Amino acid sequence: MADNDKIMALFTTRVRQMILQYNELKKENDELYAMVDKRDEELKRLRESLEQARKDYESLKTAKMMEISDGDMESAKRRLSGLIREVNKCITLLSGK
């Protein structure tokens, strides 16, 4: 019977050790899941920030293109006015002859 008592005590000790180890692993697992959830939230926030930055960039690019177009329009107007003056001079010269 003494052997049975020793075996039972050893078995009980091993079961308690397994329960403690299980609880520690469960706690570690919960912490790891919390870390993953936190990283997922951070990743989602960064993706939203990146998408907003892309939209802002596209808006700025469009605004810059419009600004360049306005500058080109003014330049084109000046060139056209110069050509009209030259045509008027030619007409004047041809009318005078």
Side-chain angles (χ1 to χ4, degrees), residues 10 13 19-20 40 43 45 57 59 64-66 71 75 77 81-82 84-87 89 91 95:
L10 183 61
T13 303
I19 290 171
L20 288 174
D40 286 346
L43 183 61
R45 186 187 65 77
Y57 173 73
S59 295
K64 188 67 176 171
M65 286 174 28
M66 293 172 96
S75 174
K77 284 180 184 178
S81 294
I84 291 173
R85 280 193 296 273
E86 284 186 39
V87 168
K89 286 179 187 177
I91 291 172
S95 303

Side-chain angles (χ1 to χ4, degrees), residues 16-86:
R16 285 183 183 157
Q17 287 175 345
M18 286 179 59
I19 290 171
L20 288 174
Q21 188 177 14
Y22 167 79
N23 288 334
E24 288 175 14
L25 289 173
K26 185 176 180 188
K27 181 181 175 184
E28 182 181 359
N29 193 28
D30 290 342
E31 290 172 358
L32 290 172
Y33 271 110
M35 286 174 59
V36 167
D37 289 342
K38 185 178 177 183
R39 295 283 163 88
D40 286 346
E41 289 174 13
E42 179 71 10
L43 183 61
K44 181 181 176 186
R45 186 187 65 77
L46 289 172
R47 283 185 176 159
E48 289 172 354
S49 177
L50 177 62
E51 186 60 32
Q52 184 61 43
R54 284 183 179 156
K55 288 178 183 176
D56 291 346
Y57 173 73
E58 287 299 319
S59 295
L60 287 172
K61 194 165 71 170
T62 301
K64 188 67 176 171
M65 286 174 28
M66 293 172 96
E67 181 181 306
I68 291 171
S69 296
D70 290 344
D72 288 345
M73 290 289 280
E74 290 178 25
S75 174
K77 284 180 184 178
R78 282 187 295 231
R79 281 187 278 146
L80 187 58
S81 294
L83 290 173
I84 291 173
R85 280 193 296 273
E86 284 186 39

